Amino acid sequence: MDVKDFYYDLPQELIAQDPLEDRSSSRLLVLKQGSGELEHRHFAEILEYLSPGDCLVINNTKVIPARLFGEKEGTQAKIEILLLKRRENDIWETLVKPGKKAKIGTRISFGDGLLTGEVVDIVEDGNRLIQFTYEGIFEEILDRLGQMPLPPYITHQLKDKNRYQTVYAKHDGSAAAPTAGLHFTPELLDKIRAQGVNIAEVTLHVGLGTFRPVKVENVQEHHMHSEYYELAEEAAKIINETKRRGKRVICVGTTSCRTVESAAAKLQAETGKEQQSSQSVWVKSCQGWTDIFIYPGYQFQVLDALITNFHLPESTLVMLVSALAGRERILAAYEEAVRERYRFFSFGDAMLIL
């Protein structure tokens, strides 16, 4: 499989720069896996595609204001860092620009010394491990000094940083939002529950590895960066009960998908058994790091349907949705979305793959 097989042409003006005023008013392209049939709807109409007993899996991670601007001590050179993941206590793996100014031992001051960081190591891909020193509570300082880490294709300033959070975000830790969840409002979630649909909450802290370009020609040679996930006992119970009853597990976003599929793979590795139609347990409560890479040929163990946004050409996320619905059908759906002037990427419209 060649990376170029997942290319599509996207006019620049279709990249959404701002979130809609009403989250649930975005458009929804419905793709039926079996027939390839497409339907054009609005997101609030998703209720028509959900049935009592179905399970909606949502990722309750919270984006931290992970972009910091500082000065190199001694030279006052401007340095920008992006917090990727906490390694231990006050040591974070970070992306630093410009990297050449951040050698081991470099000290960086943020907010006139309110926060100080020292580069203690250089790791994979040139990422820097930075140890922070401060007085008080790190999260409060970060909230004061940090900015939301919007993707590089969004050039507009975000007026309300809560618009890059889902309404159900709980657990700090992501460097990017699980954007398929941005379309939900509390009112829409209440209607979904009232319809008899169960909601299972999982956590996967989104790193930038998901969005990094695939630099190898052969898809199978690409290696995903690992991300931390948790699947609690309650969520596992809801998911297993849904599968036992023959109902659908519908994941909100590729991050929820990767979480449940990672949990299924972990259970399979522990039990040494292949998934069978007669089984009664698909996932168990677990936590850890996953670098699962889903591309065509992958057999989904848990997921039955997916709510997702439109993804970048040649990205691992286009490969994931192609694994579910087929590459040709996905690319045809994307071409239709371009023709119909859908809005693309993080603040864009949504797609439901049934």
Side-chain angles (χ1 to χ4, degrees), residues 67 109 118 127 160 212-213 227 280 296 326 354:
R67 180 164 276 129
S109 175
E118 181 178 347
N127 292 346
D160 177 6
R212 280 207 166 113
E227 296 167 311
S280 59
L354 292 171

Side-chain angles (χ1 to χ4, degrees), residues 187-222:
E187 295 77 18
L188 182 56
L189 287 166
D190 286 344
K191 289 178 182 176
I192 288 169
R193 290 187 185 95
Q195 199 165 295
V197 176
N198 297 305
I199 295 180
E201 294 191 27
V202 300
T203 305
L204 183 139
H205 292 318
V206 190
L208 291 190
T210 308
F211 307 100
R212 280 207 166 113
V214 179
K215 294 179 179 176
V216 292
E217 286 184 16
N218 183 352
V219 168
Q220 284 104 322
E221 292 175 4
H222 177 70

Side-chain angles (χ1 to χ4, degrees), residues 111-350:
D112 294 325
L114 194 62
L115 180 68
T116 304
E118 181 178 347
V119 179
V120 294
D121 201 1
I122 299 174
V123 293
E124 188 182 5
D125 283 345
N127 292 346
R128 267 59 174 174
L129 294 188
I130 293 182
Q131 177 149 26
F132 290 100
T133 52
Y134 52 90
E135 288 186 10
I137 299 169
F138 182 77
E139 285 73 19
E140 289 181 0
I141 294 170
L142 191 60
D143 205 43
R144 186 168 156 190
L145 300 181
Q147 294 184 11
M148 287 308 246
L150 294 180
Y153 50 74
I154 294 177
T155 56
H156 290 192
Q157 187 98 23
L158 183 64
K159 293 172 186 171
D160 177 6
K161 63 183 179 183
N162 286 325
R163 291 310 307 273
Y164 195 57
Q165 300 279 21
T166 62
V167 296
Y168 45 76
K170 287 181 185 172
H171 303 297
D172 287 336
S174 277
T179 55
L182 296 179
H183 305 283
F184 289 91
T185 62
E187 295 77 18
L188 182 56
L189 287 166
D190 286 344
K191 289 178 182 176
I192 288 169
R193 290 187 185 95
Q195 199 165 295
V197 176
N198 297 305
I199 295 180
E201 294 191 27
V202 300
T203 305
L204 183 139
H205 292 318
V206 190
L208 291 190
T210 308
F211 307 100
R212 280 207 166 113
V214 179
K215 294 179 179 176
V216 292
E217 286 184 16
N218 183 352
V219 168
Q220 284 104 322
E221 292 175 4
H222 177 70
H223 180 68
M224 297 283 283
H225 287 245
S226 60
E227 296 167 311
Y228 180 79
Y229 75 97
E230 290 182 7
L231 193 148
E233 191 67 50
E234 179 64 21
K237 183 180 173 185
I238 294 170
I239 290 167
N240 289 324
E241 190 61 33
T242 303
K243 299 294 282 185
R244 275 196 289 271
R245 291 179 175 173
K247 298 295 185 178
R248 296 174 302 171
V249 172
I250 303 163
C251 289
V252 177
T254 56
T255 60
S256 299
C257 165
R258 293 207 310 281
T259 302
V260 298
E261 293 297 316
S262 296
K266 185 177 175 71
L267 178 60
Q268 195 169 308
E270 288 171 357
T271 59
K273 295 176 183 176
E274 290 297 321
Q275 296 283 15
Q276 299 169 353
S277 57
S278 60
Q279 73 187 92
S280 59
V281 178
W282 282 259
V283 293
K284 282 186 175 177
S285 173
C286 59
Q287 62 187 60
W289 294 84
T290 180
D291 59 0
I292 190 170
F293 180 21
I294 297 174
Y295 55 87
Y298 179 86
Q299 297 296 313
F300 288 88
Q301 307 292 343
V302 179
L303 175 142
D304 298 297
L306 178 68
I307 299 166
T308 187
N309 280 17
F310 294 94
H311 305 294
L312 277 75
E314 299 182 348
S315 65
T316 60
L317 302 181
V318 165
M319 294 169 195
L320 186 152
V321 295
S322 296
L324 181 60
R327 185 182 69 89
E328 293 82 3
R329 284 199 175 129
I330 287 294
L331 292 179
Y334 273 48
E335 285 172 14
E336 173 78 358
V338 168
R339 275 194 301 274
E340 294 294 325
R341 312 296 288 174
Y342 275 69
R343 301 164 77 249
F344 277 67
F345 305 161
S346 296
F347 287 141
D349 294 316

